[in-house]
Amino acid sequence: MLSAAFVIGILTLSGFQAKAHCEIPCGIYGDSVRIALLYEHIETIEKSMNQINELSKAESPDYNQLVRWVMNKEEHAKKIQEIVSQYFLHQRVKPVSSDDDAAYRKYTKQLELLHHISVFAMKSKQSTDLGIIDTLREKVHLFEHAYFDEHKH
């Protein structure tokens, strides 16, 4: 009985660590995968916004479906913020000395773009303004290029 509880505990803890992509550090990184996931989450938020806007126009809105789309939008925005924070800020974008001007400019540009992505993910929770989606895509695109100039696939 005790050994079963121990195994369940270990599995629970290992599942938690995998969610945050470990922070051990394990040395296993999927940078391109994370960028692809950011784009996928943005697309899902956009679809959610479109569905919310469409359902809201109905003479008799289906509030159950509206709530489900709002929850979906919230969840995917949160996932964007987790990738930005847990993956890129905590593990991949490394602080550099301000003595190295070029490296420091690249570092601050990456930080700025990650901050924008996180803020616009938050704004996507607050609205169904599709302009937010355009800005999110643009910021991810700019970050992707700023990041992969340094980290080759």
Side-chain angles (χ1 to χ4, degrees):
M1 181 65 116
L2 182 61
S3 63
F6 179 75
V7 169
I8 290 171
I10 294 297
L11 291 174
T12 302
L13 287 175
S14 66
F16 173 76
Q17 289 176 346
K19 178 181 176 194
H21 196 74
C22 73
E23 296 182 13
I24 293 173
C26 65
I28 302 169
Y29 299 108
D31 298 337
S32 296
V33 171
R34 294 317 182 287
I35 296 293
L37 285 171
L38 289 172
Y39 284 119
E40 186 176 286
H41 292 310
I42 292 168
E43 187 175 338
T44 303
I45 294 167
E46 180 179 37
K47 181 170 185 170
S48 297
M49 287 180 173
N50 285 325
Q51 290 297 312
I52 292 164
N53 290 334
E54 190 64 33
L55 288 166
S56 296
K57 293 177 189 174
E59 188 175 310
S60 179
D62 183 341
Y63 293 109
N64 184 55
Q65 283 301 100
L66 273 168
V67 168
R68 293 182 75 210
W69 282 109
V70 169
M71 289 173 55
N72 188 58
K73 180 171 68 91
E74 296 274 329
E75 182 62 30
H76 286 275
K78 182 179 173 186
K79 288 178 181 181
I80 289 172
Q81 292 170 320
E82 288 173 357
I83 291 169
V84 164
S85 178
Q86 293 290 345
Y87 187 78
F88 285 109
L89 288 173
H90 294 183
Q91 299 179 80
R92 299 300 287 149
V93 175
K94 307 288 188 211
V96 298
S97 171
S98 59
D99 295 340
D100 183 345
D101 193 49
Y104 192 72
R105 277 196 313 271
K106 179 179 265 189
Y107 169 68
T108 57
K109 184 63 177 175
Q110 289 176 357
L111 290 180
E112 175 189 2
L113 290 166
L114 288 169
H115 184 239
H116 284 215
I117 294 165
S118 186
V119 167
F120 280 94
M122 175 205 55
K123 288 182 180 291
S124 77
K125 293 178 184 183
Q126 301 169 344
S127 174
T128 56
D129 177 0
L130 294 170
I132 293 167
I133 297 301
D134 295 336
T135 303
L136 259 174
R137 276 196 185 102
E138 175 193 1
K139 298 300 181 182
V140 170
H141 176 77
L142 291 171
F143 174 73
E144 179 180 13
H145 289 282
Y147 182 79
F148 282 121
D149 284 349
E150 179 181 334
H151 301 87
K152 299 302 176 199
H153 310 272

